[in-house]
Each structure stands twice: as C-alpha cells, then as structure tokens.
Amino acid sequence: MSAAAMELRSGDAGGSSIEAAAVGGEGLRVFTLRPRRSLGRSVGLPLLALALPVLAAEIWLMDSREAWPVMGATTAVVLGAIFVAWIGYRRANASISRYGIVERGFFGGVSTVAARDVAGVLRVQLYRTNSLDTTQELFVVERTGRGAFRMRGRFWDEPTMDQVAEVLGVEETIGSEPMTLAELRESNPRLLYWFERRSLSR
C-alpha cells in the first residue's frame, strides 16, 4: 500500500493543501481548507484598538497606586483572550474528500458530514447589512434541506469555494441574483444559523 505525494498550496486562503492518502491501493484526495490569513489581522487589530482606550480610562479615573494592579489584570485578561482567539483561528479548518466533510470550528468543536447525506451545494451573493456590496456564501445542503456546512466570503476566498462541489461530487447551484439576508431567511431558513433565522425588526 503506498500513498501519493502531497501538494501544498499557499495564499490568502490560509495554506490550503491537497493530500493523497492510501485507501485500498488508490489515492484519496483530501482537501484541507483554512480561513484567509488576512482574517487574523483584520479581527485582531480592531480588538487591540478597542482595548487601549479601556486601559487609558483606568489610569485616568483611578488613583495611580490603585490603577496599576487593575490595569495589569485587565491587560492580562485582554492578552489572554487575544491568545485564545488566535489559537482558535489557527486551528480552524475543513477537510473535504469524496467521503464527506470534517470541520474543526473556531471554538474547537469538530463536526462531520457524510457525503451520502449531501444533496448539493448552493452558492449565493448576499448583500451586506446596510450596503449594496455583496459577499459570496456557500452552503452544503443535506437531503433534509438543512445547511450542513457553510463558507462565508469574509472568511473563505472564491477559489477555495470552487473546490467543494467538485471534491464532494455533487451538483452546485449558483443563485442568479444577489439577495438580502431577509430574502434568504424567507426562502431557505434552514440554511442559516439559529440566530439568523429570526429578524430583529419583527
């Protein structure tokens, strides 16, 4: 039993790789996809920028002798939260093969979707909140109509999304027109996260 060579790809997708594992003498392609590398900077820097005014306010409002221990504790908490978020971001990935999907989420949870349960892949352009700009969203849809796996354009790039339907060996449907979250909620609520299924305006 032998395994084929591994080909590595790098880029803003975060270093997606294609691995060939030996199964019954035949190579099995496993695509390991990771979020955009730029996501760490775009999320981490604003969090750090929000923490600095809090630290400055503590120094300003407190007596100098009281401020330093509180500021030290606040700094430790903020740096700890940033470190935990960074580790979660670095470990998040999705491995896709013709047998299904194994997803390791941002918070460490692992979920699997068997290929036999997948009905197809849906890609739509969703309008961003209060904007005419759109972002691409990919949904792996189960035979029951439930969204089993989701790739959001903020976290994944289009070349990475292009591989999903091909690797799974299912049909891909592409929405002809951009739509709002409310329209998607009306037509396919089971594709959305639980907190997106309810409109705040109602």
Side-chain angles (χ1 to χ4, degrees), residues 82-97:
I82 291 174
F83 178 74
V84 169
W86 176 254
I87 294 297
Y89 159 70
R90 295 294 294 176
R91 295 180 63 185
N93 66 69
S95 297
I96 303 178
S97 72

Side-chain angles (χ1 to χ4, degrees), residues 55-71:
L55 298 176
E58 287 179 353
I59 294 175
W60 179 263
L61 295 173
M62 293 183 165
D63 182 83
S64 60
R65 285 176 295 181
E66 296 176 353
W68 289 112
V70 174
M71 194 176 88

Side-chain angles (χ1 to χ4, degrees), residues 125-178:
Q125 292 285 343
L126 276 185
Y127 285 112
R128 296 179 181 176
T129 306
N130 300 322
S131 174
L132 292 178
D133 294 331
T134 62
T135 182
Q136 186 150 178
E137 304 264 338
L138 179 144
F139 301 91
V140 173
V141 186
E142 288 187 342
R143 299 188 186 281
T144 61
R146 187 180 72 88
F149 175 67
R150 180 175 179 180
M151 299 177 80
R152 306 176 76 172
R154 288 181 57 200
F155 308 126
W156 309 90
D157 62 5
E158 290 190 27
T160 303
M161 293 183 186
D162 291 340
Q163 303 174 49
V164 176
E166 179 184 352
V167 175
L168 290 174
V170 297
E171 184 179 349
E172 181 177 83
T173 303
I174 299 177
S176 57
E177 296 290 337

Side-chain angles (χ1 to χ4, degrees), residues 93-116:
N93 66 69
S95 297
I96 303 178
S97 72
R98 60 192 172 99
Y99 291 110
I101 303 170
V102 178
E103 178 187 14
R104 179 184 293 275
F106 182 82
F107 296 105
V110 177
S111 61
T112 59
V113 182
R116 65 178 177 273

